[in-house]
Amino acid sequence: MTQSSSLKRQSKFALAVYLAFVIAVVGTVSYFVVEPPIRDQLIRNLDSRSQIISSEIQSSLESPLGILQSIVSVGNTGKNPQLQAEMLQSLFRVIDGVAVSGGLWPKPDATDANQPYKSQFFNRAKDGKIDRIYSWDNPATGGYDGESWYTEVVDKPIGTVVWSSVYIDPFTHVQMITASSPYYVDNQFAGVATVDLSLESLVDYVKRHAQQHELGVLIRDGNGDVVIEHNYKIVEGIYISEQKFGDFGWTIDVVNANRLVSDQAYDIVTKVEMGIIPIMLLCVLIGYVVINRSLIDPIAHIAREVDDSKHGGLINLNYRNDDEIKHLIDVFNQKTVFLEQEKKKALASTRAKSAFLATISHEVRTPMNGVLGTAQILLKTDLTPEQRKHLKTLYDSGDHMMMLLNEILDFSKIEQGHLELERAPFPLESILGSINSVYYTLCAEKGLKFAIESDISKLRWYISDKARLRQILFNLLNNAVKFTSHGAITVSFAEVEMEGRNYLNIKVTDSGVGIDSSALDKIFKPFVQAESSTTRRFGGTGLGLAIVKQISELMNGDISVQSKLGEGTTFDVLLEMEICPPAQTEVREHKKLDYTGLKVLIVEDNRTNTIIIKSFMAGKGFECHCVGDGEQAVEAVQNSQFDLIMMDNHMPRKDGITATQEIRALSCAGADTLIFGCTADLFKETQERMMAAGVDGIVSKPIDEKELDDLLYRHSDKLYQFKPLHGSQTRVPFNAEEQLVSLYIAVEDRKPDDAHQILSKMFSHFEHNEESDAGALLAPLVKQKQLPSQQELDVLTVLLKDA
Ligand code: ADP
């Protein structure tokens, strides 16, 4: 099965494209659709982290404001300092969290003129112990009323809270922040209440949180001073979540400590892709396998089966599903059965048609012989030119019809399958020789050049049907000569090997009228001519190429044609040929005799054939006499003596078979004349009928000169019966040993005719030889026409041993 593409290959290609598409789509969708929300989500996460941290800080720092409020309330009471101190002490005892110290800072000189600074400042130690600290009361240190946390709230409305910057507590070395608020007694500013908050736990919390969530955190106070920094690194393209929070005006910057948001988003997208893509690939592969199993495999299987059933037969496929594919197989099989039945019917009707054609043409030939014969007789009588012209047309038309009938017979016999190819070894050279001798003369007559080109070894032998090969060549060459009026005709031979088989490639090229391209594919059909005017101009039946095509196909080959109108035509034939080693017997030198002075009667109605045979025979030294039909041949034999008659078969008035029978029945010496039947008929049966009528040998047309030579040599005894050879040593190559061996074989096989033939040949050789007694011994042996006795054989052997 040869296909330029296959479903399997296409499905694999489609799968590859689909997978590439899936990967591209997943990639693109991930990048443009999935990545942005993930990135936003990550940013939101970071923002919420910074919010969580900032609100934790804010709530941690603002919750002690209640304590500040309580301290303010204590100040507002205006009670004596001793009582206030007790109240503050008990307040500090119950509080916890980030507030570590605080108290009241009365306006200087408000209570005691000797002691302007009398603060009530308490500190809660880590162990929960409450200490009162007096160190701020020393006026030498400049007084607490100069501190910013004090001055910023002096005379400020009730409830005002001011936050200090972050500072390091000189005693505890801990980061602190102070919130201060004024208090009033009798609507008079009486002092400032403060609460000091330790940032230690907040710093711990922020660091823990940042570590846990892999964050970088930077917190600054209202002055921009760094309060807390943890893992805070900025790189290009990093996202910073910024917040400002609390009344104390802090800011927080949060970043991802280890990776950029975009990297994180990319990681997440990659993870998503790595999860989705294998699943999708798996789905696609499963889909592919399912489609392959359910669709492509059965179709491929069907295609193979259909391929196997090209020359007939059903698709035998075990397909269980009841679907469209099953329907396809069933319908294909039904159609095959239907077509095979129709083919049988068509073949039967073609055979019937061919048989009918063969019978009709065979039957019509007999009366046609009468018509043509009568026309010829009439042509010899006294006629007016007008009558002669009409009669000539009648004869030519009849002649054409005879040719048509003969070709129809050939063609219909081939169509009926009656033609069986012979298989015998022969040298290609013998074919080249015969076409050269025939077409060189014919082309020269028309002023055409004729050339044979061959690059095949001269020693090449084939096992095939030589006669059919010659017939193909002669049909093509006849057409070439017929349709060419000037230029050249070339026939070329080459060998081609295809799929381990050997083919002979023959090309017949002419420079003739050419064939119109529209007619090129029709000319191989029976009864078709390229132009309707062809028959009128050149004659012919339109069957020659159909016969050539049929024979070529029988020889496992084919024929094609290339042609250009007005420029010429090339027929290209391919024939399967089995090569064989040269056979020894055939390469022997062909035996030729000297035929000078012998008379041959050529009986042939076709002018071209007459020219060919005449040129052969004249070349061999024969004196040629030509007649156009069987009747004239019988007449000629009665009137004069011939050494040989070359008898065609299909002829008007009297055909070759009838003429031969009549000649053999004559009472004159001519009855014994050597007769060779010349026939172009493809079938053995015709040759057998000619042999039965009395011809001595068959020369198949087109004539092969070497075969003709061999035939003449084999029948030399009869050929020289009227003119015995003189000085035969020089003219007939006589091999005594060879003749004796043949004689012994004939005696052994008890074949008196063969023995008589050999003895005659020996006798004709020794008849005039005075030096030998063989002639005297052979004369009675030839006459008695019996097998010689053993004693006679022994004497003959002794006599011939030195011959
Ligand atoms: P026929 O020669 O008897 O008409 P063929 O079958 O041999 O029948 O040829 C069929 C037709 O093909 C011819 O009639 C002629 O038109 C065309 N043809 C064949 N050979 C040649 C050629 N060498 N040059 C031109 N035309 C050709």
Side-chain angles (χ1 to χ4, degrees), residues 638-790:
Q638 281 168 320
N639 296 334
S640 55
Q641 208 173 48
F642 295 97
D643 300 285
L644 171 66
I645 301 170
M646 300 286 279
M647 180 75 78
D648 182 26
N649 183 25
H650 300 305
M651 285 176 296
R653 286 171 73 188
K654 194 164 278 167
D655 64 20
I657 292 177
T658 321
T660 306
Q661 285 164 341
E662 287 181 12
I663 292 171
R664 290 294 183 232
L666 290 174
S667 49
C668 63
D672 255 359
T673 313
L674 178 65
I675 305 178
F676 289 165
C678 305
T679 175
D681 209 315
L682 297 177
F683 300 92
K684 264 196 189 140
E685 117 203 2
T686 315
Q687 306 189 355
E688 283 163 6
R689 280 175 55 222
M690 288 189 93
M691 291 299 281
V695 302
D696 296 279
I698 299 280
V699 186
S700 16
K701 277 196 286 192
I703 293 171
D704 176 358
E705 196 175 359
K706 283 178 186 161
E707 268 177 26
L708 180 62
D709 281 340
D710 282 351
L711 202 66
L712 285 167
Y713 183 82
R714 277 209 301 276
H715 294 90
S716 55
D717 53 333
K718 216 169 173 188
L719 180 65
Y720 288 100
Q721 61 182 320
F722 304 123
K723 289 199 182 97
L725 283 167
H726 297 282
S728 52
Q729 276 91 336
T730 55
R731 296 164 81 185
V732 184
F734 181 82
N735 185 329
E737 197 181 322
E738 200 180 88
Q739 296 299 325
L740 264 177
V741 171
S742 310
L743 184 62
Y744 271 89
I745 292 170
V747 172
E748 185 77 25
D749 294 347
R750 309 213 61 76
K751 288 188 173 159
D753 285 354
D754 288 5
H756 174 72
Q757 208 172 349
I758 298 161
L759 288 168
S760 309
K761 198 178 276 179
M762 289 175 171
F763 178 64
S764 61
H765 184 73
F766 290 103
E767 202 179 3
H768 304 286
N769 189 344
E770 248 96 271
E771 289 164 31
S772 172
D773 296 330
L777 173 71
L778 283 163
L781 288 180
V782 173
K783 262 194 207 131
Q784 73 189 20
K785 288 202 173 184
Q786 282 172 6
L787 287 175
S789 67
Q790 188 56 48

Side-chain angles (χ1 to χ4, degrees), residues 407 475-476 479-480 482-483 510 513-515 523 528-531 534 539-546 569 571:
E407 284 198 343
N475 267 345
L476 295 179
N479 277 348
K482 185 159 75 172
F483 293 108
D510 65 52
V513 293
I515 304 168
I523 53 171
V528 174
Q529 296 186 316
E531 269 184 68
T534 300
T541 58
L543 274 174
L545 289 178
T569 308
F571 283 94

Side-chain angles (χ1 to χ4, degrees), residues 400 403-404 407 475-484 508-516 519 522-532 534-535 538-548 561 563 565 568-571:
H400 179 74
M403 189 171 67
L404 190 72
E407 284 198 343
N475 267 345
L476 295 179
L477 283 166
N478 278 345
N479 277 348
V481 175
K482 185 159 75 172
F483 293 108
T484 308
V508 177
T509 306
D510 65 52
S511 55
V513 293
I515 304 168
D516 193 86
K522 287 189 278 180
I523 53 171
F524 296 108
K525 292 188 180 140
F527 307 109
V528 174
Q529 296 186 316
E531 269 184 68
S532 47
T534 300
T535 315
F538 301 102
T541 58
L543 274 174
L545 289 178
I547 292 175
V548 169
V561 59
S563 185
L565 213 54
T569 308
T570 297
F571 283 94

Side-chain angles (χ1 to χ4, degrees), residues 35-73:
E35 203 260 7
I38 289 179
R39 183 192 285 262
D40 288 351
Q41 185 58 45
L42 289 171
I43 288 173
R44 273 201 301 278
N45 282 353
L46 215 57
D47 286 347
S48 65
R49 283 286 144 220
S50 69
Q51 225 159 22
I52 288 168
I53 295 171
S54 58
S55 54
E56 178 65 28
I57 293 173
Q58 196 174 349
S59 69
S60 295
L61 293 184
E62 283 178 356
S63 63
L65 288 183
I67 298 170
L68 181 64
Q69 217 46 59
S70 303
I71 297 171
V72 168
S73 308

Side-chain angles (χ1 to χ4, degrees), residues 395 399 603-607 610 627-629 648 650-652:
Y395 178 78
D399 193 39
V603 190
E604 170 67 67
D605 63 330
N606 182 294
R607 209 182 83 78
T610 310
V627 290
D629 61 55
D648 182 26
H650 300 305
M651 285 176 296

Side-chain angles (χ1 to χ4, degrees), residues 81 84 104-111 116-120 137 144-145 150 183 189-192:
Q84 284 178 331
L104 290 172
W105 307 83
K107 208 164 113 183
D109 302 323
T111 48
Y117 299 106
K118 279 199 78 137
S119 65
Q120 298 198 57
D137 293 348
Y144 53 71
D145 60 336
Y150 186 96
Y183 65 91
F189 173 72
V192 173

